[in-house]
Amino acid sequence: MIERRRCRRVGVVAWCFASWGSPAFGAEPGAESTPPAAAEESPPTPPVDGAPSAPEARDETGAPESAEAPSTTAAEPAAPAKRDDSGKSKTARSATSSAGAEVEVLSDDAASSGALTPRRVRAGAFAGLRTLFVLGGGYEPYAERALLWSLSLGGNLVLSHEGPLALALGLNWDAGASNSDARGGDTEIAVHRLTLVPEARYALGGRVVAFGRVGVGAAYLGASIEDRVLGTDREAEQWVVTADPGVGVALRLGGRRSREPSPGFWLILDGGYVFSTPADLAFTSEDAPARSAPLRLEELSLHGPYARLSASLGF
Amino acid sequence: MNIVRAASRKRWARALGLVLLVATSGCKRDAAWDQPFVRGDIVGLRGAVAVVDDAREELVLLTSPGKNALAMRRLHIGKNIVSAVPSRDRDLLLVLSRGDVPRLHADDERPLLSVISGDANPRIVKRYALDDPLRKLALDPEGEWAVAYDAEGAVVNVNELMLVHLAEPEREPIPITTSLGGSPVRFTFTAPLSIPGGGAHRLLIVETERDLSIIDLEDPTAGETVPPLPRPPSAALPRPAQVVFHDDLPGDDDVASYVAVRLANDSSVVTLRLAPPNPGSRAAFSIVYNVVDAGAQPSTVDFVETDRGLRLAALVPERRQAVLFDPATSKSEVVEFDQPYSGIARITGLVADEPAVGDVALLYSDSAPSIAFWRLAEASSTPYASFDPYPVEHRVSQVLDVPGDEYAHLKLLTGQGADEFFLLDLQSRLSHPMRALSGFSLRLSPDGQRAWAFAPGALQFAQLNFRDKHPVSISVERPVTDVFDIERSSGSGRTVLALHLAQASPFSGEASSDFGVTLFDGERPDSADSRFHSMLILEGW
């Protein structure tokens, strides 16, 4: 209990000293009952692509590790050191400052070795369902309502992090389709978006991470319309440039209680606005008569707000 | 604390629910996308083709800015379009819409009569708001007047007419109620007819199933004149079938203009002479009524000038004769023919040897393969020698006039159900038989330079150029529904549009259809030089 109390008081600065710049993110997730001192009070590690996955520091047995920094001014006896299976010594001391405030500081040797820093997740993957509320024109022939549903798949890597902040880069693929009829003729459209997604994350605790991102990429539009004069379908396709800034929040599901994000399954809700260059689809058919003019409808502009619900696995 | 947390959770849950609701519902699209296209009136104008798109309450106007080029424009006309009628010269299109039915709110749309210019830049030039929804429209061949009629409602007066003075757009529509027993079926707008002491007035003659009424267009509210019609011996009600008129002949001492009425179920023909108005009457004229008997059911009547003056000619094919009535005295002369001619067309000014006196008429028959040139200057003196018959291969039921002056001496003669038509040169008296696809239709170009022949559903149509009388066949890759010859908006050249209409499968239970066009050069059409457009119901939104 004393250690837990101490752990809660570990400051952000102390955690940063202990973890920042450490290449070793290999510490095992800590046990929920006694989270690592350095990690508990420190800013949590942001998730990968909305999948917060900063690991809790734990030993291989699952017992929580505790890190006590040596105090600059000794106020009480140092806590007994624990040893994990790797044999690394993890010590921390509680100290009282000259002003009387109790602080915990990582020991120099622990900080320098990096052995006490939590493991940082470098990758994540997600799958979700996204709906785009199409405000742009030209979509009416393909859907009775101004919605485009799509399946979202993606992966990402954390490029750097500092405190509660982290930067990641992801690659997303959205595949959506809609079909309807336009004045009696069957219509169909498929949209495939491939975007590169720079992302900034801010951990709000062990279970909640907020993030903002901007997806930039290209979208492939493939559409068909039943031509009843020809008795066949006319088809068109075009690539457009697309960008979708958005924000979201990730919630870790299950797992042990933690004061920092950790690997596992995350539920992510995000939303934003999709921008897209307009597409001037020219519908043609191989069965059309010679010198057939392509059918051109109103320019299709797939822009509008979107929302996405997805599940992520951070690791 | 728990209460506060529970309330907060509820708020979040509601907000999340609202977001999900919006995200999953979306906005419903314009209902017009769910309305299948149902073919309405398709009208060829001087510089455009107008297609009524009922579902969108619009006119789709197809124009041609250049060779094989198509442009579309949509004009919102009004709700519930019921009729679209072009003027005779195809410079105007009149569209009647019923508006919101029933009209329950002040901002509900009223019935409208819209006037659209028919040139290569179609636009609404005038809109008339009508009091009641009317369903039918008749247009003055001179383009001066229009009549909307056939009201609908819980209780309607079937004889209510709405007269619209197109030549004076600022004038409000004039409601007219006639006192006829039947409902209007046909309207005749006369040329200016001289009235003794009253100048020349144009008249509107309204025919119903059983009677007729005459309205003075100089003063439509002055009241109607209803001449009596003879009751046929069968005791059935008299049924007007045709109205003809003639202005006073120049040089006559007495001013005498006439109207004649043929009945569909009696051998009698009614003649009406316009006379000075009765004292105290607001009307500008009175009528002198007379009835003559053709001996048998006449197929047609017309006023002609003979060597003895103005006569009313009644063709009686049953007896192979024509009866010439003097409308002033009712005396008659009979001309015996070799064939049962049933139709007559005056061609006096179009023949090579135009007579100094009397008319020349073209006679044709829908029951015998023969036509004849009838010199009416000799009809009284030598009736047996007054006509020159010409055998043709088919019976003729219709004679089409070529617009304009350059080829007005050419007539197109068609027969019922025939697969041939004739191009008759009135000056050389030569006929040029043309064999065509079965069930063909003819369209004359508004500039009077050519005609187009097509059979609905065929993959070919043809141009007949009047200059060399040479037909050119053009192939298309989709069945033709109609053909329109329009002037280009660039000002030079013409474009012909072959219309392709797609109907929904009869087994689909849908009434939807679509249409496309193939464009050709109107003057030198070439099957290898065209442009095909389809799915036009989705374009131009």
Side-chain angles (χ1 to χ4, degrees), chain A residues 140 145 181 183 227 290 293, chain B residues 25 29 33 53 477 527 532 534:
Chain A
E140 287 184 319
R145 295 184 179 278
D181 72 278
R183 310 199 68 185
D227 188 330
Chain B
S25 59
R29 68 181 179 183
W33 288 101
D53 190 342
E477 296 185 59
S527 299
F532 174 81
S534 67

Side-chain angles (χ1 to χ4, degrees), chain A residues 131 133 140-141 143-147 180-181 183 225-230 234 287 289-293 295 297, chain B residues 23-27 29-30 33 35 53 55 477-478 502 512 527-528 530-535 537-539 541:
Chain A
T131 180
F133 194 100
E140 287 184 319
E144 294 181 5
R145 295 184 179 278
L147 293 176
S180 181
D181 72 278
R183 310 199 68 185
I225 290 183
E226 179 191 10
D227 188 330
R228 282 166 294 166
V229 178
L230 294 178
R234 283 177 174 263
D287 299 326
R291 298 170 298 283
S292 180
L295 169 67
L297 305 182
Chain B
T24 55
S25 59
C27 287
R29 68 181 179 183
D30 187 338
W33 288 101
Q35 299 285 339
D53 190 342
E477 296 185 59
R478 288 295 179 275
S512 61
S527 299
S530 64
R531 189 71 164 161
F532 174 81
H533 295 258
S534 67
M535 301 290 291
I537 64 167
L538 298 181
E539 290 204 47
W541 289 40

Side-chain angles (χ1 to χ4, degrees), chain B residues 267-287:
Chain B
S267 60
S268 300
V269 179
V270 177
T271 61
L272 307 170
R273 176 176 177 169
L274 302 186
N278 294 320
S281 171
R282 186 183 162 188
F285 61 90
S286 62
I287 58 170

Side-chain angles (χ1 to χ4, degrees), chain B residues 254-265:
Chain B
D254 296 329
V255 174
S257 298
Y258 292 94
V259 172
V261 182
R262 180 174 65 88
L263 302 178
N265 54 352

Side-chain angles (χ1 to χ4, degrees), chain B residues 108-248:
Chain B
D108 282 350
E109 188 176 289
R110 285 184 171 279
L112 293 172
L113 174 62
S114 304
V115 183
I116 294 103
S117 63
D119 55 16
N121 182 28
R123 63 202 177 281
I124 298 174
V125 294
K126 180 66 182 176
R127 267 192 170 146
Y128 299 93
L130 307 176
D131 290 333
D132 297 309
L134 303 167
R135 292 183 289 195
K136 292 181 180 175
L137 194 60
L139 199 56
D140 173 14
E142 300 300 323
E144 192 177 9
W145 292 90
V147 180
Y149 64 105
D150 194 12
E152 63 173 328
V155 177
V156 296
N157 184 341
V158 295
N159 287 308
E160 272 188 348
L161 312 175
M162 193 63 72
L163 265 177
V164 179
H165 199 210
L166 301 173
E168 296 180 14
E170 65 279 1
R171 283 181 65 175
E172 290 295 315
I174 305 164
I176 301 290
T177 302
T178 64
S179 56
L180 301 174
S183 55
V185 294
R186 192 165 36 250
F187 297 86
T188 301
F189 294 86
T190 72
L193 300 179
S194 301
I195 296 173
H201 290 210
R202 295 195 68 197
L203 307 180
L204 170 62
I205 302 171
V206 184
E207 297 173 60
T208 73
E209 305 94 337
R210 63 182 70 173
D211 45 21
L212 61 83
S213 170
I214 302 174
I215 296 168
D216 183 3
L217 290 175
E218 296 295 318
D219 186 7
T221 59
E224 58 180 334
T225 302
V226 182
L229 295 180
R231 183 176 289 268
S234 61
L237 293 171
R239 189 150 48 93
Q242 183 186 8
V243 170
V244 293
F245 54 87
H246 199 286
D247 191 22
D248 178 51

